Amino acid sequence: MLIAIVEDEKDILNLISLHLKKSGFNVKEFQNGKDFLNYLKNDIPNLIILDLMLPDIDGLEICKYLKKEIKYSNIPTIILTAKGEEVDKILGLELGADDYITKPFSIKEVIARVKAVLRRYEVKVNILEIGNIVKVDLDKYEVYVKGEKINLTTTEFNILKILLSKKGWVFSREKILEELWQGEKAVIDRTVDVHIKNLREKLKEGGKFIVNVRGVGYKIEE
Ligand code: CA
């Protein structure tokens, strides 16, 4: 887990960084907005702690930018505000920040907030739904149809996961095989059809969401 901290006050930066490292996180430190935005071009942290009062760019502008860009909009963000910056705090949350911490803070609180936001976020991204009928728990490898757990083979589950990685996108049979077997070309094309047929049957009412696009492949359509 990599956490980026953007904070120009060196003492605060060091304090948060030190304690996050102690808690087992990897940390990247930035003292201005420009360095941080440059860094983002090459790396995506798991969470951002963002001070709103920076010397070069307004933290709220950074927040707005992050939530606007698809590449960054899913990175959980905790904003740091000073006492008396109530308006900024509210604006930050409106702009999509996940939580805020008011200075002065207790370091224990910061760590607790970071963990809580990450937890919330994991829950959010690791359970996927298809049309309110199918629920897929990517962590537990469990699939539910209308609340009832169904048993899929590993291959069926993985095909579902591939299709779910981009809802609405058409995946060719070749692409599905490539993702499944990572280059082991021992499997013939048609096996995908067999797995999908079984997957559809097991998903019962949810099976209709897996759509065959003639001559191209498969996609999930709600
Ligand atoms: Ca500051």
Side-chain angles (χ1 to χ4, degrees), residues 7-9 51 53-54 103:
E7 166 64 88
D8 58 312
E9 285 159 81
D51 180 35
M53 294 279 271
L54 294 167
K103 296 182 212 174

Side-chain angles (χ1 to χ4, degrees), residues 47-195:
L47 183 138
I48 299 164
I49 298 177
L50 175 68
D51 180 35
L52 291 185
M53 294 279 271
L54 294 167
D56 54 348
I57 310 171
D58 184 342
L60 286 173
E61 286 303 316
I62 296 179
C63 204
K64 199 154 75 183
Y65 168 74
L66 292 177
K67 295 302 163 187
K68 202 180 67 195
E69 296 286 312
I70 294 170
K71 227 173 117 188
Y72 308 132
S73 62
N74 283 329
I75 312 173
T77 308
I78 298 176
I79 49 176
L80 284 177
T81 60
K83 231 181 183 167
E85 289 172 357
E86 287 295 305
V87 179
D88 285 351
K89 181 178 85 189
I90 292 160
L91 271 174
L93 292 174
E94 276 178 1
L95 288 173
D98 296 85
D99 205 351
Y100 66 89
I101 293 163
T102 310
K103 296 182 212 174
F105 51 76
S106 90
I107 191 65
K108 270 188 186 163
E109 190 196 343
V110 175
I111 305 294
R113 294 283 183 102
V114 165
K115 287 181 178 168
V117 168
L118 283 173
R119 221 166 21 236
R120 213 157 70 206
Y121 194 77
E122 271 169 28
V123 169
K124 217 160 60 189
V125 293
N126 283 332
I127 294 179
L128 300 173
E129 280 194 28
I130 315 169
N132 284 324
I133 292 178
V134 184
K135 238 186 214 175
V136 182
D137 188 331
L138 296 176
D139 287 331
K140 295 183 186 161
Y141 275 70
E142 287 174 355
V143 178
Y144 295 86
V145 177
K146 285 193 152 177
E148 195 192 326
K149 196 175 156 187
I150 58 159
N151 288 314
L152 298 182
T153 63
T154 309
T155 305
E156 288 160 1
F157 184 89
N158 284 332
I159 289 176
L160 186 60
K161 195 174 158 185
I162 292 164
L163 294 174
L164 270 172
S165 68
K166 275 180 192 159
K167 270 188 198 169
W169 278 53
V170 183
F171 288 82
S172 66
R173 292 180 180 83
E174 287 150 67
K175 181 72 188 160
I176 293 172
L177 286 173
E178 192 187 304
E179 294 277 343
L180 275 178
W181 309 113
Q182 312 284 336
E184 284 176 48
K185 294 259 176 185
V187 199
I188 53 160
D189 207 16
R190 290 288 142 188
T191 56
V192 172
D193 296 324
V194 177
H195 289 307

Side-chain angles (χ1 to χ4, degrees), residues 2-58:
L2 178 67
I3 299 180
I5 314 170
V6 195
E7 166 64 88
D8 58 312
E9 285 159 81
K10 198 88 175 84
D11 291 347
I12 295 178
L13 181 66
N14 289 342
L15 179 74
I16 298 176
S17 177
L18 178 77
H19 285 269
L20 282 174
K21 284 176 190 163
K22 268 191 187 168
S23 299
F25 293 103
N26 291 314
V27 178
K28 284 266 173 197
E29 301 169 14
F30 303 92
Q31 285 187 272
N32 61 65
K34 216 176 132 210
D35 286 351
F36 171 61
L37 291 177
N38 273 330
Y39 153 82
L40 272 190
K41 288 175 191 160
N42 301 310
D43 205 358
I44 304 279
N46 297 100
L47 183 138
I48 299 164
I49 298 177
L50 175 68
D51 180 35
L52 291 185
M53 294 279 271
L54 294 167
D56 54 348
I57 310 171
D58 184 342

